[in-house]
Amino acid sequence: MILTVTLNTALDITYRVPSLRPHVSHRVTEVTERPGGKGVNVARVLAALGHPVTVTGFAGGTTGREVHERLAATPGVVDALVPVSGATRRTVAVVDERTGDTTQLNEPGPVITPAEWSAFQDVYGDLLGSVSAVALCGSLPPGLPVGAYAGLVRTARAANVPVLLDTSGEALRRGIAARPDIIKPNADELAELTGAHEPLRATQDARRRGARTVVASLGADGLLAHTAEGLWRAVPPARVHGNPTGAGDSAVAGLLSGLVEHLPWPDRLARAVALSTATVLSPTAGEFDRTAYAELLERVAVTREASAA
């Protein structure tokens, strides 16, 4: 069993419009709703890959009930979300069908009380006793300490459970000091963390700060992984156009599934890039095109790189 943690879960709502323009009314051609937040997205992909997965985090209010109901209908996913008094947030994505661009509106999430945070930590500690890996994903809802992820990393390490951290800003800065096994920042998040804009140097700096492995997401240029075993770059076979929503979460699912399957790093990275690219190609945001994934997996280029000076 794999555990994913989404402290700021959401109900993701996607509107598709023929063309998005300011200051006018729009006719929506399609609406989709699904449980969301980065860790929930990771769990959905892991389940599709055949890995049993449990999701935890917070859920509350009418939106939280909707998230529970939809998770119950998701094969392979166990719902262990902790109830809170506040309402789970909604995220609204508006897809312009003419350009393919997506405009995202993200609510902040409910205010978490100290008692709710304490209850979550008890649940989290219990779940760690029966899982093979954990992913800590996404933003922190209001009310949580900025070092929340650092504490969760330390708890996982004390339980000898490998932990992947995928967050940003000060939460990442604090979390990396707790020595997670893997972090997966994008290029902007990595530059903000280290002050270095050259990826090779930035990943090296991030490892010095505490991460055992740094897998940097470079968008269309694929992934750069700085590990204790060496440095690898994984690149998709061609640039693709589509909706990138959830592509990074699919990459996390690829890395995490590769970890529990004990795959060598080149195979983990090829899977992560293929899943990420197949997610961009999917007509539904955050899902991956299975046919494209199978084809891409054989064509992702993974090369060994020289270490940064």
Side-chain angles (χ1 to χ4, degrees):
M1 180 74 74
I2 297 173
L3 177 65
T4 71
V5 174
T6 311
L7 296 177
N8 210 2
T9 53
L11 181 66
D12 289 344
I13 304 167
T14 301
Y15 295 125
R16 299 184 70 88
V17 298
S19 177
L20 182 61
R21 294 177 294 152
H23 313 305
V24 300
S25 297
H26 293 79
R27 184 176 297 278
V28 176
T29 59
E30 181 183 357
V31 181
T32 58
E33 296 184 357
R34 58 174 199 162
K38 292 180 71 64
V40 174
N41 296 340
V42 172
R44 186 184 297 107
V45 176
L46 285 169
L49 292 173
H51 286 275
V53 59
T54 295
V55 297
T56 191
F58 299 108
T62 302
T63 309
R65 287 194 294 273
E66 181 74 11
V67 168
H68 282 302
E69 291 173 4
R70 291 181 178 272
L71 282 176
T74 305
V77 175
V78 176
D79 178 357
L81 294 172
V82 175
V84 293
S85 58
T88 295
R89 68 186 177 129
R90 296 161 297 181
T91 69
V92 178
V94 183
V95 179
D96 185 323
E97 295 176 332
R98 178 177 57 85
T99 64
D101 292 337
T102 300
T103 299
Q104 193 84 16
L105 304 173
N106 296 329
E107 296 179 358
V111 176
I112 306 300
T113 68
E116 290 165 345
W117 176 227
S118 179
F120 169 81
Q121 291 178 84
D122 290 341
V123 169
Y124 175 72
D126 291 342
L127 289 170
L128 287 175
S130 59
V131 303
S132 54
V134 58
L136 309 174
C137 303
S139 61
L140 297 176
L144 289 191
V146 71
Y149 279 133
L152 298 182
V153 169
R154 286 190 287 267
T155 301
R157 286 178 51 79
N160 294 316
V161 176
V163 56
L164 184 154
L165 177 62
D166 184 17
T167 187
S168 60
E170 190 61 25
L172 175 59
R173 191 178 305 277
R174 299 286 187 93
I176 197 174
R179 298 187 62 79
D181 293 273
I182 305 172
I183 64 169
K184 193 214 68 66
N186 62 32
D188 290 339
E189 292 163 350
L190 186 61
E192 181 184 6
L193 173 70
T194 66
H197 293 271
E198 200 288 310
L200 285 176
R201 191 169 301 280
T203 56
Q204 184 178 53
D205 188 347
R207 288 195 72 227
R208 290 196 190 102
R209 292 168 183 261
R212 295 184 172 187
T213 293
V214 180
V215 181
S217 176
L218 306 179
D221 293 326
L223 299 175
L224 178 67
H226 201 141
T227 80
E229 302 164 30
L231 193 67
W232 281 274
R233 189 182 298 271
V235 181
R239 290 181 178 266
V240 297
H241 300 282
N243 188 345
T245 303
D249 304 328
S250 292
V252 168
L255 295 171
L256 209 58
S257 62
L259 185 154
V260 300
E261 294 174 29
H262 306 290
L263 297 180
W265 271 107
D267 292 344
R268 297 188 206 182
L269 295 169
R271 177 181 292 180
V273 168
L275 282 170
S276 179
T277 306
T279 299
V280 175
L281 292 171
S282 173
T284 302
E287 307 289 345
F288 70 93
D289 185 311
R290 294 173 186 248
T291 300
Y293 166 64
E295 294 174 350
L296 288 161
L297 188 59
E298 303 298 321
R299 299 167 55 210
V300 174
V302 183
T303 56
R304 192 75 176 258
E305 298 281 309
S307 297

